[in-house]
Amino acid sequence: MPDESAAAHPDSFSDLGLRADCGDCFGLCCVALPFAASVDFAVNKDAGKPCGNLQEDFRCGIHSRLRERGFKGCTVFDCFGAGQKVSQVTFGGEDWRGAGGTAREMFGVFPVMRQLHELLWYLAEALERPAARPLHRDLRRALDATERLSRESAAALLELDVAAHRQEVNVLLLRTSELVRAKAPAGRKAKDRRGADLMGARLKGADLRGANLRGAYLIAADLTGADLRLADLIGADLRDASLVGADLSDSLFLTQAQVNAAKGDGRTKLPRSLTRPGHWDR
């Protein structure tokens, strides 16, 4: 369990239902999504097939032992609250076991909803950034439009061109990033590492304030003690990256899944919207 409670921001992450609530979900991530036997999963599983660890009450039978049983990937995944939205709103509380003929439809809607909720997460954060105030009206419109889409019928969601909508939202997120990162310490030019291959990079203690790390490959990178405040981390791959003692307290567009995939400890500083993973060193 996390040792830090996530802050509840009015009209933001919690109010928008962007925090996963497995108690209100029908185990959709355990059924709808496929996974392959690897370091992240102990077995192969096809999309639409229930995981062998899923119980009748839609809870995981090995939840407290996932990592030791070879299911590290499950402890990294975060649906941004899409699971409960699909279960309780789109399908009105009718689960896939009893919803005759709609299971496939439900499983198809889930990944679409997850993308919409991920966009809502980024938009909600952007609206909390004072530096992005010039964009707040447009960001609010985009958030409202995305929220409306997330409440469409299952048929409409399956027809939605979510990639096109993501592209529209991303224009605003890029502009937000530029405004926020411009607040990094004056007199220094933050490096543009967008999409850079930094796998295994030695960045211990690096000053990465205001850096553009969108989509960067930071797999197994050593970011021990690095300063990542105001760095744009949207889409950055932080799997097994060392964030021990790093400062991400004001990093931009960081998600729980990225944090879960990395390695950290009690000295790692996270944004108040995120929680410290239970598997991190204390």
Side-chain angles (χ1 to χ4, degrees):
M1 295 293 291
D3 64 358
E4 294 181 355
S5 59
H9 303 290
D11 193 34
S12 188
F13 308 107
S14 296
D15 287 354
L16 286 167
L18 304 182
R19 302 188 189 285
D21 183 355
C22 297
D24 273 339
C25 177
F26 299 135
L28 293 183
C29 64
C30 306
V31 186
L33 306 179
F35 50 72
S38 61
V39 295
D40 292 319
F41 297 100
V43 297
N44 292 310
K45 188 191 82 65
D46 295 329
K49 178 182 178 181
C51 173
N53 298 310
L54 186 66
Q55 301 180 126
E56 287 298 314
D57 62 358
F58 302 111
R59 295 183 179 276
C60 176
I62 60 169
H63 185 266
S64 62
R65 296 168 287 136
L66 282 167
R67 288 193 158 238
E68 60 189 77
R69 295 288 293 272
F71 289 87
K72 182 176 72 171
C74 296
T75 68
V76 171
F77 181 78
D78 179 50
C79 75
F80 298 97
Q84 67 257 28
K85 174 73 78 62
V86 173
S87 299
Q88 304 302 329
V89 178
T90 314
F91 288 87
E94 186 176 12
D95 71 70
W96 51 270
R97 285 175 176 154
T102 64
R104 179 175 296 181
E105 191 176 40
M106 185 180 289
F107 300 154
V109 167
F110 176 60
V112 175
M113 187 69 76
R114 184 182 183 276
Q115 291 189 66
L116 291 175
H117 271 225
E118 181 181 5
L119 290 176
L120 286 172
W121 180 277
Y122 296 142
L123 288 165
E125 178 182 343
L127 280 164
E128 292 189 345
R129 295 282 182 170
R133 194 173 304 281
L135 299 175
H136 278 191
R137 179 176 296 181
D138 290 337
L139 287 166
R140 170 57 62 182
R141 288 173 178 166
L143 185 145
D144 290 343
T146 305
E147 170 64 7
R148 284 196 298 272
L149 287 174
S150 76
R151 294 183 177 277
E152 290 281 2
S153 67
L157 285 165
L158 289 172
E159 291 295 324
L160 177 65
D161 187 346
V162 70
H165 183 67
R166 177 182 285 273
Q167 185 59 40
E168 292 177 8
V169 171
N170 193 49
V171 172
L172 287 173
L173 299 180
L174 280 167
R175 291 170 62 190
T176 297
S177 176
E178 292 168 357
L179 290 172
V180 172
R181 291 186 295 107
K183 298 298 181 180
R188 63 182 301 274
K189 184 177 180 180
K191 292 185 177 180
D192 188 344
R193 303 283 185 88
R194 183 174 184 178
D197 183 352
L198 297 170
M199 290 190 288
R202 299 177 181 178
L203 297 168
K204 185 175 182 178
D207 183 355
L208 295 169
R209 287 175 293 175
N212 183 356
L213 291 165
R214 295 171 68 93
Y217 295 94
L218 288 158
I219 302 169
D222 184 3
L223 290 160
T224 303
D227 192 340
L228 289 152
R229 288 175 292 173
L230 299 180
D232 186 344
L233 291 168
I234 196 168
D237 193 335
L238 293 171
R239 283 178 293 170
D240 292 325
S242 174
L243 299 178
V244 172
D247 189 349
L248 300 95
S249 58
D250 200 26
S251 59
L252 185 61
F253 300 139
L254 183 67
T255 67
Q256 190 65 53
Q258 288 172 298
V259 170
N260 292 345
K263 299 176 180 179
D265 66 358
R267 295 173 295 148
T268 306
K269 296 179 181 178
L270 297 174
R272 58 179 182 164
S273 59
L274 303 179
T275 60
R276 193 179 308 282
H279 55 268
W280 275 13
D281 294 333
R282 299 300 177 184

